[in-house]
């Protein structure tokens, strides 16, 4: 049990779960699929029309209000209005509780059609993640597992995210913003865009975090809990 983690405290205090019944196992990633892949990065960036000077910000998640696509679209619009014309937006998602037509409407409303790509369902999500310069998890709530965050970090892509669910247990404070805070999200993205040192710092700290979060780690920890019951 990790007594200081946000999720453990939530189950103990908010849900009243007895401490001895709380076993925290963070999600794992298949690192044979999700890993830094330069050839895949080059292939997807060429396919989507990105040049070497483009700074591609991406969000992986079904189209659903909880995932924060609307907030990220607003943040990217603010950045471009501030003169960050190299910023591009890649939405790795598909119809769900929110339709793609609605998402495209938000993109149109903010004048981002020419810099936004929407993938729909694809079999090569790991390659698409490798094409990013920055991953964003902009969720407004939930994220008990935060699989997208884990996969982005496993691909060696720096990540910023909101303070929801398990994300504060995965990321350093410098990579976190409040949910729904469009201005804060834009500022965080701008900081990463402006500083290679910050990008490298996030990449390194997140790679270290992922070192113990492979699929095999997840399996071993899960078996240990079950075998101890």
């Amino acid at each position: 049990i990790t007594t200081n983690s946000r999720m453990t405290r939530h189950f103990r205090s908010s849900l009243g779960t007895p401490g001895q019944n709380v076993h925290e196992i963070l999600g794992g990633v298949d690192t044979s699929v999700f890993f830094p892949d330069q050839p895949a990065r080059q292939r997807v960036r060429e396919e989507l029309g990105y040049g070497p000077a483009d700074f591609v910000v991406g969000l992986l998640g079904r189209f659903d209000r909880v995932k924060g696509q609307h907030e990220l679209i607003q943040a990217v619009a603010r950045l471009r209005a501030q003169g960050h014309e190299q910023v591009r937006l890649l939405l790795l998602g598909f119809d769900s509780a929110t339709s793609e037509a609605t998402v495209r409407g938000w993109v149109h409303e903010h004048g981002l059609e020419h810099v936004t790509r929407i993938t729909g369902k694809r079999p090569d999500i790991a390659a698409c993640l490798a094409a990013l310069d920055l991953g964003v998890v902009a969720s407004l709530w939930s994220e008990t597992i935060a699989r997208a965050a884990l996969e982005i970090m496993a691909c060696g892509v720096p990540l910023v995210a909101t303070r929801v669910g398990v994300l504060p247990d995965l990321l350093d404070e410098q990579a976190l913003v409040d949910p729904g805070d469009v201005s804060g999200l834009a500022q965080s993205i701008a900081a990463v865009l402006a500083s290679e040192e910050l990008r490298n710092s996030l990449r390194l700290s997140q790679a270290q975090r992922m070192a113990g979060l492979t699929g095999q780690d997840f399996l071993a920890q899960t078996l240990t809990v079950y075998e101890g019951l």
Side-chain angles (χ1 to χ4, degrees):
I1 300 172
T2 306
T3 56
N4 291 325
S5 76
R6 179 189 177 106
M7 291 305 296
T8 295
R9 294 197 306 270
H10 172 70
F11 275 93
R12 287 179 168 177
S13 61
S14 300
L15 301 182
T17 307
Q20 68 272 17
N21 294 337
V22 178
H23 301 272
E24 180 180 279
I25 302 172
L26 296 175
V29 175
D30 184 349
T31 52
S32 71
V33 176
F34 296 93
F35 59 91
D37 188 340
Q38 187 62 34
R41 172 182 172 83
Q42 185 66 27
R43 173 179 63 80
V44 173
R45 285 178 73 94
E46 288 180 359
E47 174 193 340
L48 297 177
Y50 297 136
D54 291 333
F55 188 84
V56 183
V57 177
L59 188 156
L60 170 62
R62 69 187 185 277
F63 293 154
D64 192 319
R65 186 72 191 93
V66 66
K67 293 300 183 182
Q69 282 95 357
H70 194 196
E71 283 70 25
L72 180 56
I73 289 167
Q74 293 176 78
V76 168
R78 288 194 183 200
L79 288 168
R80 290 187 58 83
Q82 293 166 3
H84 299 293
E85 296 183 357
Q86 70 273 54
V87 174
R88 303 289 185 269
L89 177 60
L90 180 58
L91 297 176
L92 299 150
F94 51 85
D95 281 343
S96 182
T98 301
S99 69
E100 181 176 322
T102 296
V103 175
R104 289 191 181 278
W106 295 335
V107 170
H108 174 74
E109 175 187 352
H110 292 283
L112 298 179
E113 298 99 323
H114 62 301
V115 298
T116 301
R117 301 287 184 270
I118 296 177
T119 65
K121 293 184 179 180
R122 289 183 60 132
D124 60 344
I125 289 300
C128 292
L129 293 179
L132 300 178
D133 295 296
L134 177 67
V136 175
V137 174
S139 298
L140 303 179
W141 63 89
S142 189
E143 296 301 344
T144 304
I145 298 174
R147 182 161 303 281
L150 297 171
E151 291 172 351
I152 290 167
M153 291 191 291
C155 288
V157 175
L159 174 73
V160 297
T162 48
R163 293 185 182 87
V164 299
V166 74
L167 289 164
D169 297 327
L170 295 174
L171 300 173
D172 295 336
E173 180 61 27
Q174 64 180 347
L176 294 169
V177 300
D178 290 333
D181 181 0
V182 172
S183 178
L185 181 57
Q187 290 173 14
S188 185
I189 295 171
V192 176
L193 171 61
S195 173
E196 183 178 0
E197 181 179 356
L198 178 56
R199 291 195 297 275
N200 290 336
S201 174
L202 291 176
R203 190 179 290 111
L204 177 60
S205 66
Q206 291 167 5
Q208 292 171 340
R209 192 73 175 96
M210 292 304 300
L213 295 177
T214 68
Q216 288 301 312
D217 294 316
F218 178 77
L219 174 61
Q221 292 177 50
T222 302
L223 290 176
T224 297
V225 170
Y226 276 94
E227 288 168 355
L229 295 178

